[in-house]
Every structure is written in structure tokens, then in C-alpha cells.
Amino acid sequence: MKPTLGENIAQTLIVIFITLLCVVTIYPFIHLASVSLSSPAEASRFGFHLYPKDIDLTAWNQVVSQKKIWIGFGNSVFRTVVGTFLTLIAMSLCAYPLSRKYLPHRSFYTMVILFTMFFGGGIVPTYLLIKWLGLMNSVWVYILPGIVPTFSMLVLRNFFMSIPAELEESAKIDGANDIRILFGIVLPLSKPVLATLALWTAVGHWNAWFDAVLYISDQSKQVLQFFLREIVITNADAETLGRSAIANVRYEASIKAATVMFAVLPILIVYPFLQKYFVKGTMIGSLKG
């Protein structure tokens, strides 16, 4: 059928809205990339920066030559990779039994877990618990306290519930136990939702910094976002990058922009490889409750 006038207007408005949304989302990255590659005079110029008119790599050289930045980068990579992997394993081991109808008191266990998503002890009790567990100044404090995010686990549980029970029954007839069924049948069928949850978890780990402030005092165990915060927000450039890095204050804006881009690029590179699973995994995981 030929679209009506109202449908054409609605379609046009949707396209305009999506275009504006893309511009608003993408422009900050273009601006920061341009400023980070610009000369001091161009970087300090007020207004839009769509491309570097006077390319100067001094800011990037200062950032990538600093040992602390690479220490933070390594800790962030460890936290993101190991944390994401362990979270997926822990969520799967928790979500699979909760998705089986024959689990006794399944609804009660689900409600208890759901309760933790809305209510928490607060910063002080959590700090005391972390201290009592001996996780202070340990890289495992980045991973273990939040190893099973409640919302993501419930999404995974809902996906597992949508898998036909006949697959499990046939596997049990062939002699497979629950562990074999989970890792040999269920998880291979769950790649879209696992990729989506992996992206959520990885982004959360990569961007996290508050736990590093609370629980880590050893500079060799700090994450990249901690140093990024020191440079961009608290203006501790001299202490974080070294005084030689800002001997000329003209490069301050370029150094901050380069540091932000350095912290953002890894996730921007990884995202396209998981994006194709994102919508599919999110929709499938929310079909059944």
C-alpha cells in the first residue's frame, strides 16, 4: 500500500531525530580527537573542532610516554578481560538452575536475588565488608564484589527459559549431566545474549573508577580511569603525567583530550565486533519472564 501523508511525515521526523541524535553522540568524539591532534593555539580556540587544522602530536607523545598511564591501561585490561569472563561463568552457573522449573523454591530464590538489585547496604558497610574479606589493595576487589550483576543474570535466566526443554531431556537420555548440558548445549545456543552481556560487563569494568578510589591506595594497581580522572577533573597533571609533560601549559587542553581518547579507543574498537549480537541478544533475553 502507498504510504499516507501522515506516515511520510512521521518517517521524515524519525529520520531527522535519529540524524540529530547521531550528530550529538558522535560530535564529542570528533571534537576531542581534533583537539588532541591540534597545536596549542588551535586546541585553545573557542568553538567547534571538526578536524585538526594544525596537526601537533606533542600531546599524544606525552600521554603514551608516561609509565603510569600504561600501568593503568594494563590494570584496566586485566580487570575488563578477567572480570568479564568470570562474570559470564558465574552468571551462567546462577541463571541456569533458576531457569529450570524443577528447581525447588525457584521463585523464592529469584525474589531474594532480585531484592539485591533494589536495596544495598551503602558505602560504609560495603567498605567494612571488603576490608574484612581482605580485598583491600588487591586487584580482585575490582572483580569479586560484583561478579554476578543481578539485572544481567535475570536477562540470561530469561533467555535460558526460552530454550526448548526437549533439548535437555534428550541430552539426559544420552547420559549427560547438568554441567555437560549447560556448557555443551545451553551456552553454545546463547551466544547472542552472552555477547550482549559481555559488552555490558566489559564497558562497566572499563569505565569504573570509584572502587579504585575507595579500596586501592597502591598506585601500581590503579586503573586507567583513575588516572584519567586525576588529569581531566582534578587537574593533577603534574603529579600524574610528570611535570615535564605540562612544562608548557599551552598543551594542557590537548593532553586532556588525548588522555580521554586513549581511554575511550579500546572500547570503540571492540564494540563493532559485538554490535551485531547486541539488539538480538537484548530482545531475546527479555521475551520470557
Side-chain angles (χ1 to χ4, degrees):
M1 295 178 61
K2 185 178 180 180
T4 64
L5 177 61
E7 291 175 338
N8 288 329
I9 294 176
Q11 196 76 4
T12 302
L13 292 176
I14 291 173
V15 171
I16 293 174
F17 174 77
I18 295 297
T19 302
L20 292 176
L21 184 62
C22 291
V23 171
V24 172
T25 303
I26 296 174
Y27 172 71
F29 296 101
I30 298 176
H31 174 84
L32 286 174
S34 177
V35 170
S36 68
L37 296 171
S38 298
S39 63
E42 177 63 20
S44 60
R45 176 180 61 84
F46 180 78
F48 297 101
H49 293 75
L50 296 178
Y51 60 91
K53 296 181 180 179
D54 186 10
I55 297 180
D56 189 337
L57 300 179
T58 302
W60 276 97
N61 290 334
Q62 294 288 358
V63 170
V64 300
S65 64
Q66 298 305 315
K67 183 179 179 180
K68 285 187 176 182
I69 294 297
W70 287 107
I71 290 175
F73 181 82
N75 290 331
S76 290
V77 170
F78 171 83
R79 172 180 187 164
T80 302
V81 174
V82 177
T84 300
F85 175 76
L86 293 180
T87 293
L88 290 179
I89 296 297
M91 283 195 303
S92 300
L93 294 176
C94 183
Y96 178 68
L98 290 176
S99 67
R100 303 299 92 183
K101 294 181 179 180
Y102 53 79
L103 177 70
H105 311 296
R106 182 182 65 159
S107 299
F108 171 75
Y109 295 138
T110 302
M111 291 302 299
V112 170
I113 295 173
L114 184 64
F115 181 84
T116 65
M117 190 169 68
F118 300 104
F119 301 95
I123 293 178
V124 174
T126 303
Y127 180 89
L128 295 176
L129 176 62
I130 295 298
K131 187 176 181 179
W132 180 76
L133 292 174
L135 293 176
M136 298 293 291
N137 264 330
S138 170
V139 293
W140 294 107
V141 77
Y142 297 138
I143 299 171
L144 296 182
I147 195 169
V148 182
T150 304
F151 177 78
S152 297
M153 189 278 295
L154 292 176
V155 171
L156 186 60
R157 165 188 171 271
N158 293 343
F159 183 87
F160 287 167
M161 292 175 66
S162 67
I163 297 177
E166 290 76 12
L167 291 175
E168 180 180 353
E169 294 172 358
S170 62
K172 286 187 175 181
I173 292 175
D174 293 334
N177 56 23
D178 289 325
I179 297 297
R180 181 66 181 274
I181 293 172
L182 173 61
F183 288 96
I185 298 177
V186 176
L187 292 184
L189 293 175
S190 307
K191 289 181 180 179
V193 70
L194 288 175
T196 302
L197 299 180
L199 180 62
W200 291 355
T201 306
V203 172
H205 275 301
W206 187 263
N207 291 333
W209 60 270
F210 191 57
D211 49 3
V213 175
L214 290 178
Y215 310 126
I216 302 294
S217 58
D218 187 351
Q219 293 287 304
S220 65
K221 297 177 181 178
Q222 290 290 0
V223 293
L224 180 61
Q225 301 300 331
F226 174 84
F227 296 115
L228 173 63
R229 176 178 177 273
E230 290 291 304
I231 296 170
V232 176
I233 299 179
T234 64
N235 293 317
D237 305 73
E239 296 179 4
T240 306
L241 289 177
R243 295 190 178 278
S244 60
I246 58 166
N248 190 339
V249 295
R250 296 180 304 163
Y251 284 99
E252 182 178 352
S254 298
I255 289 176
K256 290 182 177 182
T259 307
V260 173
M261 290 303 300
F262 184 84
V264 170
L265 280 176
I267 289 296
L268 291 181
I269 294 173
V270 171
Y271 180 78
F273 296 98
L274 298 177
Q275 190 270 340
K276 63 180 179 180
Y277 298 107
F278 187 79
V279 176
K280 183 179 179 182
T282 304
M283 293 300 295
I284 293 178
S286 60
L287 286 178
K288 193 172 183 180

